[in-house]
Amino acid sequence: HRFTPLAPQQPQAAAMSSKPRVCVIGAGPSGCSILRAFKSAADKGAEIPDLVCYEKQGQLGGLWNYSWRTGVDENGEPVHNSMYRHLWSNGPKECLEFSDYTFEEHFGKPIPSFPPRQVLQDYIVGRIEKSGIAEWVKCNHVVEGVTYDDATSKFTVTVRHFSAGAPVDSSSEFDYVVCSSGHFSFPNVPSFPGMESYAGRVMHAHDFRSAEEFEGKTVLVVGTSYSAEDISSQCYKYGAKKLLLSWRT
């Protein structure tokens, strides 16, 4: 399955409506699950609010989208993704499966419990396509800020829309805001004595993209959680000379 984002549209003022307005920030698995729940309710005859979902990337899928870029993206915004080549799920797919859309339904056959990233991303996008929620999503829209007015009981969401031309800033009012942008986008880099004069490369797992570049090299991995374990395994598999693991517990 391949998802084609909606064509960029100029921000427009919201039409007057008696229905409440809901803003969903982020079109990854969480944000799209919220939209899917509203779509399901609408299909059953329920009246749903006006929905707008802002997604900073050019496609849906959230953190499972891969980008070769690190630091900033093509729009000068911080790169959201932490995905890297050869990444495999470190948890069984049975724990990641949506109750309304199984892996077997998507692929038409059983698949192994620990699939690679591309398989999981394809599955997530497949559910989005089946749900029919893309009409509510505005891709390449970066949320710059959210404020709340006690007097009006409204949220004001300010976004920057990146299109073929210059970026366009706009603001809209909403009755509710759901933040589904995740919490793995901004790396927390500790500081250790001597790092300023270290002649080698220092990088955070957020900027790791491929283990091939560490072939024949000695690598120190700080931490022993999921990313550290998988990146260590990747570096060993692709020819690192030596791996040193460090942790504080």
Side-chain angles (χ1 to χ4, degrees):
H1 288 71
R2 295 180 180 178
F3 175 77
T4 302
L6 297 177
Q9 299 178 355
Q10 294 296 327
Q12 298 178 351
M16 296 300 294
S17 173
S18 60
K19 296 195 298 183
R21 303 191 74 224
V22 175
C23 171
V24 179
I25 304 175
S30 296
C32 288
S33 291
I34 294 170
L35 298 179
R36 190 266 173 196
F38 279 116
K39 181 66 164 57
S40 178
D43 291 342
K44 296 176 182 177
E47 183 177 357
I48 64 172
D50 289 329
L51 299 167
V52 176
C53 177
Y54 294 121
E55 169 56 47
K56 69 177 295 184
Q57 299 181 90
Q59 61 182 12
L60 285 71
L63 196 64
W64 289 99
N65 295 328
Y66 170 80
S67 172
W68 60 268
R69 296 178 183 272
T70 59
V72 295
D73 62 17
E74 63 274 19
N75 298 318
E77 293 288 325
V79 170
H80 186 78
N81 304 24
S82 299
M83 296 290 111
Y84 47 87
R85 296 179 189 170
H86 317 306
L87 184 146
W88 289 66
S89 173
N90 55 12
K93 76 177 193 310
E94 288 78 10
C95 295
L96 304 173
E97 190 171 66
F98 296 110
S99 60
D100 62 286
Y101 190 65
T102 66
F103 280 93
E104 187 165 349
E105 178 184 354
H106 177 70
F107 291 105
K109 61 182 179 180
I111 66 170
S113 290
F114 295 86
R117 179 204 64 83
Q118 297 95 320
V119 170
L120 287 171
Q121 196 260 357
D122 190 80
Y123 166 68
I124 291 169
V125 171
R127 182 186 186 235
I128 293 170
E129 291 180 340
K130 180 184 178 183
S131 300
I133 58 175
E135 61 181 293
W136 293 318
V137 181
K138 295 180 179 291
C139 289
N140 293 310
H141 281 68
V142 179
V143 175
E144 299 286 338
V146 179
T147 59
Y148 181 74
D149 190 334
D150 289 316
T152 62
S153 298
K154 300 281 188 181
F155 292 93
T156 298
V157 180
T158 302
V159 301
R160 174 164 290 183
H161 176 207
F162 292 94
S163 60
V168 178
D169 294 336
S170 63
S171 297
S172 300
E173 285 191 340
F174 295 91
D175 298 283
Y176 303 95
V177 174
V178 181
C179 185
S180 303
S181 55
H183 57 280
F184 294 120
S185 300
F186 294 94
N188 178 23
V189 183
S191 178
F192 300 105
M195 288 181 67
E196 295 81 2
S197 59
Y198 176 60
R201 184 182 181 190
V202 178
M203 66 183 300
H204 190 276
H206 179 69
D207 295 325
F208 180 85
R209 290 295 181 267
S210 175
E212 284 90 342
E213 68 172 290
F214 298 104
E215 180 180 358
K217 298 180 180 179
T218 299
V219 181
L220 169 64
V221 179
V222 180
T224 56
S225 193
Y226 298 127
S227 295
E229 291 176 354
D230 194 49
I231 289 175
S232 299
S233 299
Q234 292 279 337
C235 290
Y236 176 79
K237 180 178 179 181
Y238 285 92
K241 178 181 178 181
K242 181 186 294 185
L243 283 163
L244 303 173
L245 307 182
S246 171
W247 60 93
R248 61 183 177 181
T249 56

